Amino acid sequence: MSRRHKVQTEVTSSSMGVMTVDAFSNPLFRLGLGSQAPVEATTYPLTRLTDNYALLNSLYRDNWVVQNVVDIIPDDMLRNWFQLGGGISPEEISRFERVCRATQLRDRLKTGLSWGRLYGGAAGLILINGQDDLSYPLDISTILPGTFQGLYVLDRWTGITPDAELVSDPGDVDFNLPMWYNIMDARGNSIARVHHSRIVRFTGRELPFIEATAELYW
């Protein structure tokens, strides 16, 4: 038998394999009889990272990657602002722009969008001078010129909590979202009950219904 033929025979024989009856097993390293491959042990636990307020603050303050991920979209959205169109006089446009500057509206929207992305939810309370009872729906026809005072932005963990009652009118833009929001002071005491029409919601990614319920509809 030639050397080449002998090598081929040995390879063929070894490739057929021989059944053994040993019981080698090392569960710690996932080796041997009855052990799973490492990839088979992979799981995806539900962490709800938005519940960890301290961790989110730490990441945003100390990690430039997280800062960019949170802020890049709000920055792009508001970089060019917007222009009013239609039959609006230059004087009215100028007056509107002065109000935006005086109330820092662009900055407040940027803050709300960023906090909504970081914490999974934030809200802007529409401030109208002379309308102190916030539990009534906002009626645009009652807003007098010069009474808009901007947005008061709160994130979901520091000052505003949705109520359990939901909007039941299918024609409402906030259908199936909270009807009321409670604004609280630093001690956690409720200081105002606000109708949803006076709230601008800033939220993160849309969630399945069960998860949205668990997150209080943020």
Side-chain angles (χ1 to χ4, degrees):
M1 181 184 297
S2 67
R3 178 178 176 82
R4 180 179 179 184
H5 181 69
K6 180 179 180 181
V7 171
Q8 289 179 342
T9 303
E10 290 177 351
V11 171
T12 303
S13 299
S14 61
S15 64
M16 296 176 60
V18 178
M19 181 177 296
T20 62
V21 293
D22 61 8
F24 170 78
S25 177
N26 191 327
L28 180 62
F29 290 96
R30 305 184 189 280
L31 299 173
L33 181 65
S35 297
Q36 292 180 317
V39 71
E40 294 176 347
T42 301
T43 61
Y44 299 91
L46 182 61
T47 58
R48 291 196 176 116
L49 184 61
T50 50
D51 289 346
N52 195 334
Y53 185 71
L55 176 60
L56 294 174
N57 283 334
S58 177
L59 289 172
Y60 185 76
R61 295 190 61 176
D62 299 331
N63 190 309
W64 67 270
V65 175
V66 175
Q67 294 169 9
N68 288 340
V69 168
V70 170
D71 292 334
I72 190 170
I73 291 181
D75 286 341
D76 285 345
M77 291 173 63
L78 301 174
R79 178 174 292 110
N80 295 325
W81 201 220
F82 65 91
Q83 295 180 347
L84 295 177
I88 302 175
S89 67
E91 292 77 13
E92 290 174 323
I93 293 177
S94 178
R95 187 162 58 248
F96 171 79
E97 291 175 347
R98 287 198 301 271
V99 170
C100 289
R101 289 194 299 269
T103 59
Q104 300 181 11
L105 184 59
R106 187 190 298 198
D107 291 339
R108 299 288 79 78
L109 289 172
K110 162 64 169 58
T111 299
L113 290 167
S114 294
W115 290 176
R117 286 173 57 79
L118 177 62
Y119 301 117
L125 172 63
I126 302 173
L127 301 175
I128 307 296
N129 189 24
Q131 296 193 14
D132 298 326
D133 192 345
L134 304 178
S135 63
Y136 286 95
L138 180 62
D139 186 353
I140 296 179
S141 65
T142 64
I143 301 177
L144 301 176
T147 58
F148 175 68
Q149 296 181 313
L151 294 177
Y152 179 52
V153 179
L154 297 161
D155 69 67
R156 62 181 292 194
W157 298 117
T158 56
I160 188 165
T161 303
D163 200 74
E165 183 180 355
L166 302 181
V167 177
S168 58
D169 180 8
D172 196 305
V173 294
D174 287 335
F175 173 64
N176 215 31
L177 290 174
M179 175 74 77
W180 314 95
Y181 293 82
N182 295 307
I183 295 180
M184 296 161 292
D185 60 18
R187 297 182 178 179
N189 301 318
S190 179
I191 59 176
R193 191 168 189 246
V194 184
H195 190 265
H196 70 94
S197 60
R198 297 179 180 273
I199 292 293
V200 179
R201 287 171 52 90
F202 303 101
T203 58
R205 180 176 297 173
E206 192 75 19
L207 296 175
F209 178 75
I210 293 178
E211 282 300 297
T213 303
E215 297 288 348
L216 298 180
Y217 302 95
W218 289 118

